[in-house]
Amino acid sequence: MRRVFCIGRNYAEHAREMGASVDKTAPMFFCKPADAVVADGADVPYPSVTAELHHEVEMVVALGGGGRELDPAAAGALVWGYGVGLDLTRRDLQAQAKAKGHPWDVAKAFDHSAPISALRAAADASVGADTVLRLHVNGELRQQARLGEMVHDVPHIIAALSRLFELKAGDLVFTGTPAGVAALQRGDRFHAELTDVAELQGRIV
Ligand code: MN
């Protein structure tokens, strides 16, 4: 694993629930540190300095190669595999950052903020527009969408990133969350799925 890139506002319904609009020409990115990643099954400590920890279930793409200034076809060919993850967010601190025009790091890039499933090799996985991304918390369905609902598809996300950063093998990309983001509490158990491809379970402690 190398860097962890994340795209914001990549499902229209989620952008709407956040009071934001979707920019079809210029995707919005932020990063998490690689040591924020938490393995499948591990407990996730409730972070400090927040009273509003939110879940965002997302497909995670792992790159098997790199490059710069790629077109979408070349960018799509870099995908090594797929997983499912949670872009955990201190929503209260994010709202303050938005209001003040401050960066999002303290809201998005904190310790343990990126639980990710085991990765499945693309060669061994069927992932397409009808693949479903889903999150249950304590057995209750919280988020569900088809990948076809993404505003920017995977090749276009990677191509856009490659104009901003030199990408390399081992980079991970969170591809955005659908509507239904909500709070997690201590003791909650989460179960995220990219159907027939990847699964992630854990508990907030
Ligand atoms: Mn997100």
Side-chain angles (χ1 to χ4, degrees), residues 19-158:
S21 57
V22 163
D23 189 332
K24 291 198 164 144
T25 56
M28 189 271 287
F29 295 108
F30 58 92
C31 296
K32 293 179 185 260
D35 66 3
V37 172
V38 177
D40 179 39
D43 288 345
V44 175
Y46 195 96
S48 61
V49 200
T50 184
E52 197 178 20
L53 173 67
H54 267 200
H55 56 72
E56 297 191 358
V57 68
E58 310 199 6
M59 174 171 70
V60 177
V61 170
L63 304 191
R68 289 187 297 150
E69 305 198 2
L70 304 170
D71 62 31
L78 295 184
V79 174
W80 178 85
Y82 301 95
V84 63
L86 294 183
D87 166 15
L88 293 175
T89 303
R90 284 168 165 147
R91 192 71 73 199
D92 43 3
L93 297 194
Q94 187 193 32
Q96 288 173 23
K98 286 178 179 176
K100 294 178 178 171
H102 287 175
W104 286 10
D105 299 57
V106 300
K108 289 289 198 179
F110 53 92
D111 301 338
H112 314 287
S113 60
I116 302 178
S117 70
L119 300 172
R120 172 78 72 90
D124 183 37
S126 166
V127 173
D130 288 327
T131 302
V132 173
L133 180 65
R134 190 179 289 130
L135 175 69
H136 285 86
V137 177
N138 302 327
E140 172 198 333
L141 181 64
R142 292 278 185 95
Q143 292 186 267
Q144 178 169 279
R146 296 168 54 253
L147 295 182
E149 295 174 44
M150 290 195 293
V151 175
H152 302 279
D153 65 13
V154 169
H156 284 86
I157 293 169
I158 297 170

